[in-house]
Amino acid sequence: PNIKSVKFAKNKGLVKTGLYIIIVTYNNRWATLMSVLKQLDIAAPDAVAIIVNNGSDLNHQPVWANEVSLPLHFIHSETNKGSAWAFGQGVKLAIEEGADILLLLDDDNFVEDKSISTLLDAWQELKSRHSGLLGLMSVRKDRTYLKNVANGSPVDLNFPGQNEFLG
């Protein structure tokens, strides 16, 4: 239909970390996305980035594809189908490619230089102590309610009523 996927894989060999970074962009925020990609080029040089363009203008695609060394995938939808759909497309592609670790970002989520290595170290630590499916969640400091729920606080107290994320 109106969805297409393009791969801009650089000749870097195997992805050492198994980390796939899925970034959803919309509303023609190409300059911000480019800044995020350049930052990830430094913070996560062994990762693969999947850009899901959720209804934005396609014209800038070749520019940023050539400005970073990360292997890139580009999934394009002519219309904005919502964040859940967009992240789902990125997750599906990452799993099809054999990803071990997924990091989901919006196009304006900047990562600090050491945050990816800290995440990967925490992941390895958890894997050494637990078997089965694992998940880590990194949140902004002002989102204490998310941490409260993760630490066992009742969901109803932290998320009263319905919302677009929890139904």
Side-chain angles (χ1 to χ4, degrees):
N2 66 349
I3 302 164
K4 64 181 176 180
S5 179
V6 180
K7 184 174 183 178
F8 291 97
K10 310 297 190 279
N11 190 10
K12 291 179 59 167
L14 294 175
V15 178
K16 297 175 192 162
T17 61
L19 173 63
Y20 278 67
I21 302 169
I22 300 160
I23 305 171
V24 171
T25 189
Y26 66 99
N27 204 23
N28 298 318
R29 294 163 31 153
W30 298 109
T32 306
L33 174 62
M34 190 66 238
S35 297
V36 170
L37 286 172
K38 285 182 177 180
Q39 194 177 31
L40 289 171
D41 226 5
I42 295 166
D46 295 324
V48 172
I50 298 173
I51 311 303
V52 183
N53 179 7
N54 204 10
S56 294
D57 180 354
L58 188 59
N59 295 337
H60 292 79
Q61 174 187 338
V63 174
W64 50 257
N66 295 322
E67 290 190 28
V68 295
S69 61
L70 289 172
L72 298 173
H73 291 279
F74 185 83
I75 299 171
H76 174 70
S77 172
E78 291 178 8
T79 59
N80 187 330
K81 297 179 180 286
S83 294
W85 176 88
F87 280 117
Q89 295 300 303
V91 167
K92 180 180 173 186
L93 177 58
I95 289 170
E96 287 172 359
E97 292 217 342
D100 293 321
I101 304 168
L102 304 177
L103 176 60
L104 308 181
L105 300 173
D106 283 325
D107 58 7
D108 61 353
N109 292 151
F110 292 92
V111 296
E112 296 179 12
D113 289 348
K114 300 287 183 193
S115 62
I116 301 293
S117 61
T118 301
L119 174 73
L120 293 174
D121 290 346
W123 183 257
Q124 292 305 322
E125 164 75 16
L126 278 173
K127 279 179 56 176
S128 71
R129 294 186 289 137
H130 301 282
S131 62
L133 293 175
L134 296 173
L136 292 174
M137 183 171 149
S138 176
V139 295
R140 296 183 343 212
K141 291 179 183 178
D142 65 337
R143 304 297 168 101
T144 55
Y145 56 91
L146 295 171
K147 187 176 181 181
N148 293 342
V149 171
N151 287 325
S153 179
V155 173
D156 293 347
L157 293 178
N158 291 279
F159 297 99
Q162 290 187 321
N163 64 53
E164 63 184 62
F165 297 107
L166 300 176

